[in-house]
Amino acid sequence: MENPVLEQLEGQVHHASETAHLLPDDIDRCYEIICATNQGLEQELEIADSRGREDYDKDLGRWKVEAQKLGDSALQPRKFAFIGRTGVGKITAINAILGAPVLSTAADVTCTSVQTEVIYENLPPSEWRVSVQFIETDDWEITLFNMLDDLEVYCDRGPSNHGRGTHDDSGPAMEAWETLKQVYPHLRTISFPPPEQDVHTLLEHEAVASKLGTEISICGVGFDKLEVQLRPYLTSYSNIAVEGPSSVWHLVDRVRIYGAFEVLASRAVALVDVPGFGDANKTRTNRTEEYLKTAEVVVLVADIKRAVDDQAMCDYLKKFLRTMIRVDGSMESLLIVLTGADVPINEDQLHHLDAKQCSVIQEMCQAIDRLDDSLKELEDSSKKFNYTNSAAFKEIMEHQQMQRDITSKLRTKQAEKNTYIAHQRAARVREVFLHLYRQVYHNISKQDTAKEPPPLPVFCVGSTDFNQLLGVGRRNRAPLVFTNPEDTGIPQLCRHIHDFGRKRALSDIKAHIDQCTLLRDEVNSFFKLLSARHDSMSKTHEKAARSALTKFKRLVEETCEESGDKIDKSIKELENALRDEADNAADCSLDIIKSLGDDCKYQTYRAVMRREGEWQSIDLNEDLVCDMLEGSVSSIWHELFNDSWKSELELLIHSILGHYRAAIGSIKDGEKQNVKPKIATRVQDAIKAEDILGTAKQRYLFAISMMQREFGGSFKGFIRNELQAHYALVGSECGKGMFQRMKDLNEEEFRTDNAQKLYSGLVDDVMLAIRSAKNAGDRALEETIPRLCAHIERRFVFIRKSDKMSKDTRKKMLTFLDEQYIKSLAEVTLITDRYEERDTMPME
């Protein structure tokens, strides 16, 4: 059926071929319409509900709440969190994707140290805006207290123990002092070990106190200036000048950079540089792990040279993939970027080439040799020219032009060869990496190895050559491998990110439209019923209709109970497997604790305890639980969260929908026998239960997803929580004999019976989190059932004559819904449909 509203709007918008650069403005327009329209609906509902309603009108309050939420709608950017070890080229890759030198790659910068979000804002070209958020005073006070405690314990040992011999344990104190000197310039002239420092004096120091808990904004033009201005807030340096300013990055919580970056034009994606992944500093690593729980997509950046040949890197990648597969079996939240595709290699370094590839390279080499020989012949012949003879001038010029032509051809052939070799290496590395991924996935999922796992995007990129070709950054040199930006892999990666964002933006808008449509249909159905003639339904038919409703409630309750029992059974299977692994971990835990005491001197040991098991490269919590997710637990976990639970939920939704349709059908069949035609129209106005149940399903899946992300692929957070009080007790030890007392306390805590209780409590915490997620999902469904029942009930329950809503109020509401509300939704739909048409247009 044609929509007259859409036809009316057709001439007011741009056609598909004109939309290449309109998306940001169109997105703003969509949200502007959605918000304004629902704010208007909220006002109309407020007027209609001003005198208070009876029980059968209680939905008016819920509709107002829904309209208010939709009136506050805003696009939430998905975070693409870039992680990778130091030196893999992560910053260079991000700058290439952004098309600007936003983040620092300077040689004197040790590493990026603060989470940095890059977000789209419609600013003029090269303009930027930055927001720097500093940590709160309480957070810095805790950090200060720990650092000063490390110094105090070290200094209390006396000067005889400050040597570098076997008794030296200055690590915690030295690290604390170096950090303090970076933040407080007045301490840089004091030698180590320093005199006692007062925590309150340091907290109140002007260079620090003026920043804690504050936010500053910086604006400017030119990204080279941005990089320089941001350095103090983002990065640590290899050298700190004695008279230099405070190194404030220690005090920074997060940095946000805003600009009109083309790759982020959908506004649905933000790129985030997340430092500390795989870092030896556990404080930074923990912040990274916490941040990744909120990221929509994790982008792992690794060096292409090490991704295949380095066993340590392969082990690292396997561990990372295992974690991500457990967290997200669909693998939609992972993207791999392998850097260094623009590092030149010789064909002799490629040992995987087939005969055809070898033949292509051989032909290229022969062509290069021929051109090289021709160039040498021309160079030799040029020596015979008499450059003083003017008569030979023309011949000399022609000869030099031939040299230039052959030199150009030679460079072109060499570039073609370099590009071909680079692409063959990239293809090989991608193939090996995906083989590694399939191996890990099948090992966890226990699926048939012939069945392909979910796709995993892998991009091999030459960021440095791309930046040189497009003039990104201040370095000025010729590209080493690629001469065409498309060959670098960066444009393909940019398109992937942009398309992801565009699809998510349109998907979000369509989800809002679906919610608006459902809300409009519900309100419209209710007010039409208010305005309808109050015909009576036969007692026999009303009784049958009420019986259909009762049957619907009973069937839904039975179906939900049966489905819940199946999920509970799977959860119990996981719990049993976890308890078996917990027993094994408990048996091994005492040896881990004793090994820590053997490997660490007492200051390091105390620093680990005071920081709840994690300091520098030591991660006691991970060591205590690292094997609990191996074996059967890993497969059961993956099967439950990424397959069986979701499948069971789909079946449940389908069954509830079937029961609903059966109830409506039963009432409709009864109405066909009713002589009053006005009644039958109410069934035809039935709300789409698919939309209501679809919303509940999304809320259910979101609860499960959030639990998995909070879990993060490791139980170390749970063991840390279990041991929190114990860590505080051990870390409070001081004075003579404290090292032995700390070890004794730990060994007592991990004695067999105590360890069993500890790990049993850990499993209890894990299962509580899982069951809490299930309960949250169940509540989403439970809240839906009364809504469906209300829709069924309206098929046969009339609004009483005692209703006090005026005829004008009802008419005004229906006019608003039929004209203003539906026209606004149609305008938004027209915009989103136009972009969907672009997605389905055939490539030329």
Side-chain angles (χ1 to χ4, degrees):
M1 182 176 179
E2 294 182 355
N3 188 329
V5 177
L6 287 178
E7 291 176 356
Q8 180 183 351
L9 292 168
E10 192 72 56
Q12 302 177 14
V13 296
H14 300 275
H15 293 288
S17 59
E18 302 173 274
T19 60
H21 302 291
L22 293 176
L23 188 56
D25 293 335
D26 281 347
I27 289 175
D28 284 346
R29 178 61 182 155
C30 287
Y31 278 96
E32 180 183 310
I33 294 171
I34 291 170
C35 291
T37 303
N38 282 283
Q39 287 164 5
L41 177 57
E42 183 186 1
Q43 292 173 3
E44 295 293 334
L45 287 167
E46 184 66 38
I47 294 171
D49 195 36
S50 59
R51 296 188 181 185
R53 313 303 306 157
E54 298 180 34
D55 286 344
Y56 52 79
D57 293 340
K58 60 182 179 294
D59 283 340
L60 282 170
R62 175 173 58 79
W63 292 331
K64 280 194 296 183
V65 172
E66 291 184 16
Q68 184 181 45
K69 288 180 179 178
L70 288 167
D72 295 332
S73 299
L75 181 63
Q76 299 298 323
R78 269 74 167 183
K79 297 174 183 176
F80 269 58
F82 283 72
I83 62 174
R85 290 181 167 179
T86 302
V88 299
K90 179 180 58 166
I91 300 301
T92 305
I94 293 175
N95 285 343
I97 293 167
L98 295 172
V102 176
L103 303 177
S104 179
T105 57
D108 61 332
V109 173
T110 304
C111 59
T112 307
S113 304
V114 177
Q115 280 92 4
T116 307
E117 301 176 3
V118 185
I119 303 170
Y120 186 90
E121 186 171 303
N122 194 15
L123 297 173
S126 297
E127 283 195 21
W128 47 265
R129 181 174 67 85
V130 173
S131 166
V132 180
Q133 179 70 53
F134 293 95
I135 62 176
E136 297 297 326
T137 302
D138 291 346
D139 295 329
W140 183 241
E141 184 175 10
I142 293 171
T143 303
L144 265 182
F145 186 79
N146 281 331
M147 290 191 294
L148 295 180
D149 183 75
D150 289 336
L151 284 169
E152 181 181 355
V153 171
Y154 179 80
C155 294
D156 285 348
R157 295 166 61 199
S160 61
N161 289 322
H162 288 163
R164 291 184 171 271
T166 57
H167 297 290
D168 182 48
D169 187 20
S170 60
M174 287 289 289
E175 183 189 75
W177 185 237
E178 286 303 315
T179 300
L180 288 171
K181 287 196 299 181
Q182 288 184 31
V183 178
Y184 297 96
H186 70 281
L187 300 178
R188 294 174 189 170
T189 58
I190 302 175
S191 60
F192 181 84
E196 182 178 353
Q197 303 295 318
D198 179 65
V199 64
H200 299 292
T201 301
L202 293 176
L203 270 177
E204 294 168 3
H205 192 279
E206 176 60 24
V208 172
S210 60
K211 296 180 177 64
L212 295 175
T214 66
E215 182 176 353
I216 63 171
S217 184
I218 311 170
C219 300
V221 179
F223 290 105
D224 53 340
K225 297 178 182 178
L226 165 65
E227 186 258 355
V228 172
Q229 290 198 46
L230 279 186
R231 278 202 206 180
Y233 303 104
L234 291 180
T235 54
S236 56
Y237 295 82
S238 52
N239 295 299
I240 299 291
V242 172
E243 300 298 330
S246 171
S247 183
V248 297
W249 68 265
H250 290 283
L251 309 176
V252 176
D253 180 49
R254 58 126 182 98
V255 172
R256 286 178 177 158
I257 302 172
Y258 300 87
F261 304 103
E262 184 176 352
V263 71
L264 306 180
S266 68
R267 305 189 187 217
V269 169
L271 301 191
V272 189
D273 174 30
V274 185
F277 186 79
D279 202 304
N281 188 320
K282 287 301 167 185
T283 301
R284 282 155 48 91
T285 301
N286 288 339
R287 289 188 65 187
T288 295
E289 291 171 352
E290 286 300 312
Y291 192 90
L292 292 182
K293 294 175 183 178
T294 66
E296 178 79 7
V297 177
V298 175
V299 184
L300 176 63
V301 183
D303 190 337
I304 194 172
K305 299 189 297 296
R306 301 181 59 199
V308 175
D309 302 326
D310 190 323
Q311 186 59 47
M313 176 58 71
C314 287
D315 293 342
Y316 162 80
L317 292 174
K318 284 181 180 179
K319 181 180 179 182
F320 177 78
L321 285 171
R322 281 197 297 270
T323 299
M324 291 303 300
I325 290 169
R326 292 186 192 115
V327 172
D328 179 13
S330 68
M331 298 310 291
E332 292 179 353
S333 62
L334 179 60
L335 176 69
I336 306 297
V337 174
L338 302 176
T339 60
D342 50 2
V343 175
I345 61 168
N346 190 283
E347 60 269 24
D348 296 336
Q349 296 175 259
L350 301 179
H351 307 295
H352 59 277
L353 299 176
D354 58 28
K356 182 179 179 180
Q357 292 166 335
C358 290
S359 176
V360 171
I361 293 176
Q362 185 178 15
E363 290 177 5
M364 289 180 171
C365 290
Q366 290 171 351
I368 290 171
D369 289 341
R370 288 193 296 269
L371 288 170
D372 194 47
D373 291 341
S374 298
L375 189 60
K376 288 180 180 178
E377 289 177 7
L378 286 173
E379 289 174 350
D380 292 341
S381 62
S382 66
K383 297 176 182 177
K384 301 176 183 179
F385 285 117
N386 182 358
Y387 289 93
T388 61
N389 185 354
S390 59
F393 178 75
K394 182 178 179 181
E395 185 178 359
I396 292 172
M397 294 298 293
E398 291 176 350
H399 192 277
Q400 290 177 341
Q401 183 60 46
M402 289 175 62
Q403 283 183 301
R404 287 192 291 270
D405 291 343
I406 293 176
T407 299
S408 177
K409 291 179 181 179
L410 179 60
R411 289 173 179 168
T412 300
K413 284 294 180 184
Q414 288 172 333
E416 289 176 359
K417 176 191 168 187
N418 290 338
T419 299
Y420 183 81
I421 290 174
H423 284 169
Q424 299 312 309
R425 174 177 65 172
R428 172 61 177 172
V429 172
R430 188 182 294 109
E431 177 187 342
V432 172
F433 190 92
L434 289 174
H435 174 75
L436 179 70
Y437 159 61
R438 286 190 289 268
Q439 187 181 54
V440 173
Y441 190 91
H442 288 309
N443 181 261
I444 290 176
S445 65
K446 303 301 182 185
Q447 292 180 349
D448 180 6
T449 54
K451 183 180 179 181
E452 282 294 310
L456 174 63
V458 179
F459 292 88
C460 300
V461 301
S463 311
T464 304
D465 275 2
F466 179 84
N467 289 338
Q468 294 306 315
L469 289 167
L470 270 69
V472 177
R474 289 173 289 178
R475 296 181 184 177
N476 187 16
R477 65 157 178 79
L480 296 177
V481 173
F482 302 113
T483 56
N484 184 340
E486 279 293 318
D487 290 326
T488 65
I490 292 294
Q492 293 85 344
L493 176 56
C494 288
R495 285 194 287 272
H496 178 87
I497 295 172
H498 184 276
D499 289 348
F500 177 95
R502 182 164 58 88
K503 289 174 182 177
R504 288 298 188 275
L506 295 175
S507 175
D508 286 352
I509 292 171
K510 289 193 69 177
H512 286 310
I513 289 298
D514 290 342
Q515 293 175 47
C516 290
T517 302
L518 177 61
L519 177 59
R520 182 262 173 197
D521 289 348
E522 285 191 286
V523 177
N524 188 62
S525 175
F526 175 80
F527 276 83
K528 277 188 175 180
L529 191 59
L530 279 178
S531 302
R533 193 180 72 211
H534 290 181
D535 296 318
S536 299
M537 179 182 285
S538 70
K539 290 184 178 180
T540 301
H541 178 50
E542 183 175 348
K543 182 179 179 181
R546 290 188 182 279
S547 177
L549 175 59
T550 302
K551 182 179 179 181
F552 169 75
K553 292 178 180 178
R554 176 176 55 79
L555 289 174
V556 168
E557 184 178 348
E558 291 173 356
T559 303
C560 289
E561 184 177 351
E562 181 181 349
S563 178
D565 288 344
K566 290 179 181 179
I567 295 173
D568 286 337
K569 184 178 178 180
S570 297
I571 292 175
K572 187 62 179 178
E573 181 186 3
L574 174 62
E575 181 178 358
N576 292 337
L578 270 175
R579 293 204 181 277
D580 289 341
E581 290 299 330
D583 289 341
N584 296 333
D587 292 341
C588 300
S589 61
L590 184 58
D591 289 337
I592 294 172
I593 290 297
K594 288 181 177 179
S595 178
L596 179 70
D598 294 338
D599 295 341
C600 297
K601 298 183 178 68
Y602 86 90
Q603 283 204 63
T604 299
Y605 195 93
R606 187 171 185 269
V608 172
M609 295 299 110
R610 288 184 59 78
R611 289 161 178 82
E612 298 185 344
E614 297 162 20
W615 183 80
Q616 286 287 47
S617 60
I618 299 172
D619 193 339
L620 177 60
N621 298 314
E622 182 63 32
D623 292 341
L624 289 169
V625 298
C626 64
D627 293 330
M628 285 187 64
L629 269 169
E630 299 305 320
S632 62
V633 170
S634 185
S635 300
I636 295 172
W637 184 287
H638 177 82
E639 168 68 18
L640 173 62
F641 286 102
N642 301 310
D643 191 357
S644 62
W645 200 336
K646 293 179 181 178
S647 298
E648 185 59 39
L649 180 60
E650 288 285 350
L651 291 173
L652 175 60
I653 295 295
H654 181 75
S655 297
I656 295 174
L657 185 58
H659 297 323
Y660 174 84
R661 287 172 174 166
I664 291 292
S666 176
I667 298 173
K668 184 180 290 188
D669 289 341
E671 288 183 347
K672 288 178 181 178
Q673 303 172 18
N674 195 306
V675 295
K676 299 181 182 294
K678 201 74 175 179
I679 299 173
T681 61
R682 282 183 252 138
V683 175
Q684 296 169 8
D685 291 335
I687 301 301
K688 288 184 178 179
E690 299 96 320
D691 295 335
I692 299 174
L693 290 169
T695 301
K697 184 180 77 170
Q698 292 304 317
R699 288 174 59 191
Y700 200 128
L701 292 175
F702 180 77
I704 299 174
S705 174
M706 287 300 98
M707 191 285 300
Q708 283 186 277
R709 285 199 172 270
E710 187 64 29
F711 153 74
S714 171
F715 292 140
K716 76 173 192 175
F718 292 98
I719 195 77
R720 186 194 302 123
N721 291 339
E722 286 289 320
L723 291 170
Q724 192 171 35
H726 175 73
Y727 281 136
L729 175 64
V730 178
S732 65
E733 286 291 338
C734 58
K736 187 176 181 180
M738 64 178 239
F739 191 20
Q740 189 58 52
R741 290 196 299 275
M742 287 191 292
K743 291 195 288 186
D744 290 344
L745 284 169
N746 274 333
E747 291 178 17
E748 174 64 21
E749 178 71 11
F750 287 90
R751 196 185 64 215
T752 302
D753 53 342
N754 289 337
Q756 294 289 348
K757 292 178 183 178
L758 172 68
Y759 280 88
S760 178
L762 182 152
V763 176
D764 289 342
D765 291 344
V766 174
M767 301 316 299
L768 177 61
I770 293 173
R771 292 190 171 100
S772 295
K774 179 179 181 296
N775 291 339
D778 289 343
R779 283 195 299 274
L781 283 176
E782 289 167 3
E783 292 168 5
T784 299
I785 305 308
R787 193 168 177 179
L788 294 177
C789 290
H791 293 161
I792 296 174
E793 193 172 19
R794 288 203 192 105
R795 302 313 98 200
F796 59 86
V797 175
F798 293 106
I799 305 301
R800 307 306 179 196
K801 290 184 178 180
S802 59
D803 172 65
K804 298 178 181 179
M805 188 182 295
S806 69
K807 183 177 180 179
D808 288 341
T809 299
R810 300 171 189 171
K811 184 177 179 180
K812 185 180 178 184
M813 173 63 79
L814 290 172
T815 302
F816 173 81
L817 293 173
D818 290 339
E819 296 180 6
Q820 185 175 337
Y821 201 91
I822 197 171
K823 181 177 179 180
S824 298
L825 296 188
E827 184 177 352
V828 177
T829 300
L830 192 61
I831 294 173
T832 57
D833 286 351
R834 188 173 74 250
Y835 284 104
E836 286 190 349
E837 289 172 7
R838 288 182 57 205
D839 289 339
T840 57
M841 287 175 62
M843 298 293 291
E844 296 182 359

